[in-house]
Amino acid sequence: MSKYKLTYQTTNSYENIVKEALFALKVIPISNEQQQLLSYSAKNNLCEDFYLQPNLFGFNQLMLRIAKRFDQLDVTVVCHVEVAPINPYQSLDVAVEEEKDLIHSLDFKIDHHTFLDMTPSTFIDLASLPKDLVKSHDQTCESYLKDLNAYIYTQFQFNDDVNSFSNTPQDTFQQKNGVCQDFAQVFIASCRANGIPARYVSGYLNQGAGYVGSAMMHAWVEAFIPGKGWQGYDPTNNLLRDSNYVKVCHGVDYDDCAPIKGILNTHGENQTAYKVEVVQQ
């Protein structure tokens, strides 16, 4: 087992006084067959109480309702989690023809439509994809996903100066750089264009392993492979998900997994800063 202490801190400053607000933070790791949340604590500078509320996918959000005036919000969340050894290469063999019949079947499309349908931030035409990213008829999903992971890693440059909140996959293909969020959404768009279900994952990455993107909350992808199920891919580092990754939530795109969202009664500009610390224990 790998054990981690995770610290998430955010400071939100507002140009004008906020009269009331409601925040939702998706920063607490889930418990599942691969990892276990051992404990968590949360505090804020306004001394308001938090409460938990599941989102549409059932992942717990840390909720904060503030009914008094403020111009700055500081939040610190500390979690302890353990992750089981993960063998990303364990699978059942499914013949290419059987796999092809399955992913083109109506039942498969109905079962996985949530993660096959494109959104504005995960949309791309199959015809506009580079030739190397169009799945060939004799290629397995696993082989295609391995090639896709390597393509993004080798063709795009990680650049945390990029403001990627409004980037589409087409923008990233043109700019040839971005952050883990952009690379995850290019991966998802390419999968869905080829009929492979894929979902956006948000979480933490072991900072002691030297991986790109570990200084902030990290984004990777889970794609569905017949015979294996959901498999984690990290195109930022050209890796498969293992015990260096701690999952918080998944969704159809970034919008489902944003670490912090708020509804505020105010106007004017605001600034958000945050940092993440991941310590293996």
Side-chain angles (χ1 to χ4, degrees):
M1 290 285 186
S2 299
K3 291 188 176 181
Y4 297 99
K5 178 185 178 182
L6 316 171
T7 304
Y8 173 92
Q9 293 179 294
T10 184
T11 296
N12 299 270
S13 304
Y14 301 93
E15 180 182 9
N16 297 301
I17 292 293
V18 180
K19 298 175 182 176
E20 59 179 333
L22 177 66
F23 292 94
L25 291 93
K26 288 187 272 295
V27 298
I28 299 176
I30 60 168
S31 290
N32 59 19
E33 67 277 8
Q34 295 175 322
Q35 64 182 49
Q36 184 69 37
L37 175 65
L38 303 176
S39 66
Y40 80 91
S41 62
K43 62 181 181 181
N44 61 80
N45 62 318
L46 303 177
C47 300
E48 296 288 340
D49 292 333
F50 292 93
Y51 62 96
L52 294 178
Q53 179 174 296
N55 71 358
L56 292 175
F57 291 97
F59 296 104
N60 270 329
Q61 303 175 108
L62 198 58
M63 306 297 295
L64 182 60
R65 172 83 167 88
I66 304 171
K68 60 185 179 186
R69 298 163 67 89
F70 65 96
D71 61 5
Q72 179 170 315
L73 172 66
D74 302 323
V75 175
T76 300
V77 181
V78 178
C79 303
H80 290 85
V81 62
E82 63 180 15
V83 184
I86 297 172
N87 179 6
Y89 302 101
Q90 186 176 15
S91 65
L92 299 174
D93 291 330
V94 177
V96 175
E97 289 302 320
E98 182 183 351
E99 181 182 275
K100 191 163 54 179
D101 290 343
L102 181 60
I103 67 173
H104 287 100
S105 70
L106 181 59
D107 286 346
F108 185 86
K109 292 177 181 178
I110 291 173
D111 289 344
H112 297 287
H113 73 91
T114 301
F115 301 110
L116 281 169
D117 293 342
M118 296 188 185
T119 64
S121 58
T122 61
F123 175 80
I124 197 162
D125 282 327
L126 184 63
S128 64
L129 278 176
K131 183 180 177 182
D132 291 344
L133 297 187
V134 178
K135 182 176 175 295
S136 64
H137 294 295
D138 59 351
Q139 189 176 26
T140 64
C141 289
E142 194 158 20
S143 172
Y144 171 78
L145 294 167
K146 178 183 175 184
D147 290 349
L148 173 59
N149 215 31
Y151 181 96
I152 294 172
Y153 176 75
T154 56
Q155 298 299 316
F156 301 151
Q157 183 174 2
F158 185 88
N159 182 0
D160 57 9
D161 289 332
V162 172
N163 181 358
S164 64
F165 287 108
S166 61
N167 271 357
T168 65
Q170 194 64 52
D171 294 333
T172 305
F173 273 110
Q174 292 172 353
Q175 296 165 4
K176 298 293 185 186
N177 61 26
V179 295
C180 53
Q181 170 189 324
D182 303 306
F183 302 158
Q185 295 197 145
V186 166
F187 193 110
I188 291 169
S190 302
C191 286
R192 293 178 183 171
N194 282 281
I196 301 173
R199 57 196 189 192
Y200 187 103
V201 182
S202 176
Y204 301 91
L205 186 53
N206 181 3
Q207 292 178 335
Y211 297 144
V212 176
S214 61
M216 56 191 81
M217 287 201 72
H218 194 55
W220 64 94
V221 176
E222 290 176 344
F224 189 88
I225 303 173
K228 174 173 281 191
W230 292 102
Q231 171 71 62
Y233 290 87
D234 178 8
T236 302
N237 292 287
N238 192 21
L239 293 171
L240 277 67
R241 188 250 171 143
D242 60 16
S243 55
N244 286 300
Y245 295 75
V246 179
K247 179 175 177 177
V248 169
C249 62
H250 67 242
V252 297
D253 55 22
Y254 170 80
D255 193 54
D256 285 334
C257 303
I260 183 168
K261 282 186 174 181
I263 302 172
L264 297 88
N265 182 0
T266 187
H267 65 281
E269 300 294 324
N270 68 85
Q271 292 186 329
T272 299
Y274 81 94
K275 63 179 181 179
V276 167
E277 185 177 73
V278 181
V279 178
Q280 188 168 9
Q281 299 183 311

